[in-house]
Amino acid sequence: MDIKQNIQELKDILPDEVNLIAVSKTKPIEDICEAYEFGIRDFGENKVQELSKKVELFPKEDIRWHLIGHLQRNKVKYIVGKVSLIHSLDSIRLLKEIESRYNKEGKTAEVLIQVNIAKEESKYGIYEEQLNSMIDEVEKCKNVKVKGLMSIIPKGDKEICKKYFKQMKQIFDKLKDRSFKNIKMKYLSMGMTGDYVEAIEEGSNMVRIGQGIFGKRNYKK
Ligand SMILES: *Cc1c(COP(=O)(O)O)cnc(C)c1O
């Protein structure tokens, strides 16, 4: 598995306006280091503990760490000041915890609202119908800024993928046209190794790619 070659291929394919996040979960620091040397500055992790450890072991000032996995409320305190973007704001209770922890530290959290567009039981994220109440709460915050939306869509055939990506883009555009306190629809984070081509075709501007850069993950270590 050649990390540099994978990154080069992605750079050749991805349009300029699309932000590439290298998802390094389960992967060692050596792999992160290799991607870093090849110009990657955005890294995605899905677990708070693993992210914290990697921040410590690879403390580069110019890295932007992205928390892409579900964030438990009791873990928020560990990430304040460490992550540049939380992709997984998926409940009002979590929003309140982020607001309170960041407020205590005098810091501002930048977050994406995770939308469970296909309403899958197995996935986190709010339903489209819950966006308005989430937005109402965000507008009351002092230490949280929403920068866009994130979604993980069901695995399936390309046409179904495209349908969900399209729906996300419509929601994103509609919100973008309105004006809210604390909310700027800048990033639409969708697309992973298996579906990023379709995601970009439908308007994603932030893709989260793990295996397509670092190779298959081995969870049994
Ligand atoms: C693991 C993960 C990815 C990357 O998945 P790949 O299939 O390895 O590209 C993207 N987004 C989230 C939320 C993930 O947990």
Side-chain angles (χ1 to χ4, degrees):
M1 188 41 69
D2 189 337
I3 294 173
K4 289 199 167 108
Q5 195 182 322
N6 291 338
I7 293 170
Q8 187 57 54
E9 282 172 16
L10 282 166
K11 282 183 177 168
D12 291 342
I13 301 171
L14 296 181
D16 287 343
E17 69 276 11
V18 174
N19 296 277
L20 170 61
I21 303 193
V23 177
S24 48
K25 64 190 187 198
T26 78
K27 297 294 176 180
I29 297 293
E30 297 84 82
D31 288 7
I32 293 176
C33 191
E34 193 172 339
Y36 181 89
E37 280 168 8
F38 209 60
I40 298 288
R41 292 295 177 269
D42 291 272
F43 290 91
E45 290 286 337
N46 67 336
K47 295 213 162 72
V48 167
Q49 201 180 352
E50 187 175 346
L51 185 141
S52 305
K53 207 173 113 196
K54 285 175 172 169
V55 173
E56 225 170 85
L57 291 173
F58 199 63
K60 299 275 186 198
E61 287 289 323
D62 57 350
I63 285 190
R64 293 175 294 270
W65 293 99
H66 297 252
L67 186 72
I68 60 175
H70 173 63
L71 175 57
Q72 288 171 277
R73 280 176 296 136
N74 62 0
K75 302 259 171 78
V76 174
K77 55 179 176 286
Y78 301 119
I79 61 160
V80 181
K82 284 186 193 158
V83 292
S84 89
L85 190 60
I86 300 168
H87 290 230
S88 44
L89 173 60
D90 58 10
S91 72
I92 288 173
R93 289 167 81 203
L94 175 61
L95 172 69
K96 290 183 170 164
E97 179 67 15
I98 295 174
E99 165 74 6
S100 131
R101 291 286 171 181
Y102 275 74
N103 184 276
K104 261 187 206 132
E105 304 287 333
K107 293 198 154 72
T108 301
E110 301 204 330
V111 308
L112 305 179
I113 299 173
Q114 182 175 354
V115 179
N116 185 353
I117 191 69
K119 297 194 163 73
E120 289 176 281
E121 294 271 351
S122 61
K123 292 215 171 85
Y124 290 102
I126 63 170
Y127 292 168
E128 180 180 359
E129 304 82 75
Q130 297 168 317
L131 267 165
N132 283 332
S133 40
M134 176 65 92
I135 288 170
D136 287 345
E137 290 299 322
V138 170
E139 288 199 293
K140 295 179 200 158
C141 286
K142 291 197 174 68
N143 296 69
V144 178
K145 303 281 177 215
V146 168
K147 296 285 171 183
L149 304 177
M150 183 271 233
S151 192
I152 305 170
I153 64 151
K155 285 203 171 59
D157 73 77
K158 305 243 177 272
E159 285 317 304
I160 297 176
C161 290
K162 283 185 148 238
K163 181 189 90 172
Y164 288 124
F165 288 140
K166 227 181 228 117
Q167 285 179 17
M168 283 299 300
K169 178 69 159 75
Q170 280 170 359
I171 298 169
F172 180 78
D173 285 341
K174 244 194 253 166
L175 294 175
K176 200 177 177 164
D177 283 343
R178 296 169 58 191
S179 120
F180 303 101
K181 211 171 156 241
N182 302 325
I183 301 178
K184 274 246 147 54
M185 285 292 145
K186 186 172 178 203
Y187 301 119
L188 180 55
S189 169
M190 56 186 198
M192 317 184 359
T193 300
D195 57 18
Y196 73 88
V197 174
E198 289 74 29
I200 291 169
E201 281 171 7
E202 297 306 330
S204 164
N205 62 15
M206 186 170 259
V207 292
R208 310 176 306 265
I209 300 186
Q211 310 198 59
I213 292 177
F214 297 108
K216 284 218 171 314
R217 282 182 292 274
N218 179 8
Y219 288 100
K220 293 190 294 264
K221 267 188 279 185

